[in-house]
Amino acid sequence: MPHRTTADWLVPLRERGLLPAATVAAYVVGSAARGWHNARSDFDIHVVTAAGQHSGTGTEVPVPLDPPFVRGRTFYARDRRWEVTYWVADQFDQMLAKVSWQAYEDGGTVPEEPLSWREELSLARLGNCLPLYGEEWIAHSQERLARSAFRSFMVTRSLSEAANAVEDALGQMESGDLESATISARTAFGRAIDALLEGEGEYGSHIPKWRPNRFRAAAPRALSFAEYWAVETMRGYDPADPRPWITSVLTVCQDLAMRVKTS
């Protein structure tokens, strides 16, 4: 990422009156926060306001929280599209309560997903954001996230989906439907890799385009990047005889399931 000071990031918001007086924190999320963005990437900024002080105007997007929405504002500056999302501090309290250890233990062997995808993404991005304002609030929230069962929820979900896809692939191979088995094997591998990365604290399975970047950032011991990339790009797949490739991929998935950190 090009060098950009905290003050520089906030200038476009202040110029447009998009930083409320009740702001307790502001931070960059997504690819720009990680240095993965390109010339066509948007800049995404989350602004957190004090309890009961939701930002005034903007597009409302529903979330299963109180208040039951987040607001967003979009503008163009510096040849970029900027997206500002406004959260209330209380909403983070509610999201973290949904991923408490008590909630995880009450969920059984495969706990139900406690968060909507927007809630999940907001917590995932909080963990590796670029702070602009309110560093103390951000650091405290990151500590609360690290102590929660968020990681276990995510890993358990991905492992369950990987296992289901493995079973699909095996059944499809047995019936001779090798094309469908190939798709199921790819799905199983993707979800197994997601679980592996989530076990290392690298979230974002809803955005698979960043999976290679997340893999490099996590650098898991269970699998090298070269081994991961060989499967991701289907190296060695023979359309005339796909069974060996499918079988090897499913073996990798089952091996990873034994080695993933669940907490």
Side-chain angles (χ1 to χ4, degrees), residues 59-182:
T59 303
E60 290 188 2
V61 178
V63 291
L65 299 167
D66 180 20
F69 58 85
V70 291
R71 286 197 174 102
R73 294 290 299 272
T74 302
F75 64 90
Y76 291 83
R78 303 171 182 172
D79 299 322
R80 298 275 186 168
R81 182 174 184 268
W82 296 58
E83 292 187 0
V84 186
T85 303
Y86 295 91
W87 295 85
V88 177
D90 282 353
Q91 291 176 316
F92 279 89
D93 294 336
Q94 295 167 50
M95 287 187 284
L96 288 169
K98 291 182 180 183
V99 292
S100 68
W101 281 107
Q102 186 63 55
Y104 181 77
E105 292 165 1
D106 289 346
T109 306
V110 183
E112 293 184 5
E113 293 189 49
L115 304 170
S116 67
W117 73 267
R118 190 175 297 276
E119 293 174 286
E120 178 183 329
L121 191 58
S122 72
L123 291 183
R125 286 175 159 180
L126 175 65
N128 48 40
C129 69
L130 174 64
L132 302 177
Y133 177 83
E135 289 85 351
E136 184 176 345
W137 184 92
I138 294 170
H140 178 62
S141 297
Q142 289 173 333
E143 290 173 4
R144 294 175 65 194
L145 178 63
R147 293 196 304 268
S148 75
F150 181 68
R151 176 181 310 203
S152 294
F153 270 112
M154 299 301 101
V155 171
T156 301
R157 188 258 320 270
S158 293
L159 285 177
S160 176
E161 292 181 356
N164 290 339
V166 167
E167 288 301 312
D168 286 342
L170 290 172
Q172 289 157 344
M173 271 208 304
E174 289 173 0
S175 69
D177 186 358
L178 300 182
E179 292 171 343
S180 295
T182 297

Side-chain angles (χ1 to χ4, degrees), residues 228-244:
Y228 153 69
W229 195 238
V231 178
E232 188 76 271
T233 56
M234 299 183 68
R235 200 173 307 162
Y237 180 83
D238 182 1
D241 184 19
R243 287 181 183 272

